[in-house]
């Protein structure tokens, strides 16, 4: 691995963004499993966690599907979970908000993501989500974005984030959200850690969803530590 200065140079977002720019972060086993025991922690390593934390430091907003946020026990980001000095130096807000995607309004209004946070979360949902649930989110302090009728229109959601000045988007999963982002051609960069493990079992891929037009990628950087492989790919197709 390289030092923090070089990592920041490699993984920082492009300058002068005029739209939301999406970096997706995932870890998988060498045989393609996206989780062990239902969560990604069993695949991670100190090097992977370092890059994951850097992704949070550099981002304006963290985008995550409710299934992953629920399974991983998401709450609001704390100062000790980001490098506040780096964020200040780069002109970022002290803490990035979490934007959680839920088409059917599955997020309970008393979820820690909403109640245990220092920055109001953003809930991205649809017209089909119950109106009383949307009202409850707002009453609990969340910023609610309605994007689409029955399925979340991710392009509309990203436009709403961009309007809020949140253009450096770090997508933390899960596979269903990643698959939908691919299908909508909204992924600009993939940061993939390959763990030196054979997981077997029934764990799914890092992306699942509708058939999509293949998106071309260029290998932008390769790092290794303790037999883990940290790959960074950037989109080459429009």
């Amino acid at each position: 691995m390289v030092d923090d200065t070089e990592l920041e140079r490699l993984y920082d977002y492009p300058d002068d963004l005029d739209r939301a720019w999406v970096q997706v972060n995932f870890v998988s086993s060498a045989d393609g499993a996206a989780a062990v025991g239902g969560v990604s922690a069993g695949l991670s390593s100190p090097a992977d966690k370092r890059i994951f934390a850097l992704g949070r430091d550099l981002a304006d907003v963290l985008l995550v599907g409710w299934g992953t946020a629920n399974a991983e026990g998401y709450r609001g980001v704390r100062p000790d979970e980001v490098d506040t000095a780096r964020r200040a130096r780069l002109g970022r807000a002290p803490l990035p908000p979490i934007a959680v995607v839920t088409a059917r309004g599955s997020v309970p209004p008393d979820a820690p993501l909403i109640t245990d946070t220092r920055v109001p979360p953003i809930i991205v949902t649809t017209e089909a989500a119950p109106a009383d649930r949307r009202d409850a989110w707002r009453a609990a302090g969340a910023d609610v974005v309605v994007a689409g009728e029955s399925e979340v229109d991710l392009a509309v959601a990203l436009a709403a984030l961009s309007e809020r000045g949140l253009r450096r988007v770090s997508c933390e999963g899960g596979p269903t959200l990643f698959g939908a982002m691919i299908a909508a051609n909204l992924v600009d960069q993939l940061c993939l850690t390959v763990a030196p493990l054979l997981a077997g079992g029934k764990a799914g891929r890092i992306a699942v969803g509708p058939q999509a037009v293949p998106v071309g990628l260029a290998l932008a950087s390769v790092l290794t530590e303790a037999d883990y492989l940290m790959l960074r790919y950037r989109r080459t197709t429009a």
Side-chain angles (χ1 to χ4, degrees), residues 169-209:
V169 182
S170 181
C171 180
E172 298 183 352
T176 300
L177 177 57
F178 186 22
M181 297 287 285
I182 294 171
N185 196 26
L186 295 172
V187 177
D188 294 292
Q189 180 160 280
L190 170 63
C191 301
L192 175 64
T193 295
V194 180
L197 299 171
L198 296 175
K202 298 181 179 180
R205 299 172 52 197
I206 63 172
V208 297

Side-chain angles (χ1 to χ4, degrees), residues 89-130:
R89 173 169 52 81
L90 295 173
R92 312 292 197 260
L95 295 173
I98 295 175
V100 61
V101 178
T102 171
R104 287 173 287 280
S106 302
V107 183
D110 61 352
L113 189 72
I114 299 175
T115 62
D116 187 13
T117 182
R118 301 187 185 188
V119 179
I122 301 167
I123 300 183
V124 180
T125 191
T126 64
E127 294 284 358

Side-chain angles (χ1 to χ4, degrees), residues 145-176:
V145 172
V146 177
E149 295 184 3
S150 59
E151 298 294 331
V152 173
D153 186 326
L154 292 168
V156 172
L158 290 177
L161 295 180
S162 180
E163 289 170 1
R164 289 161 170 77
L166 306 173
R167 293 176 178 169
R168 301 174 186 89
V169 182
S170 181
C171 180
E172 298 183 352
T176 300

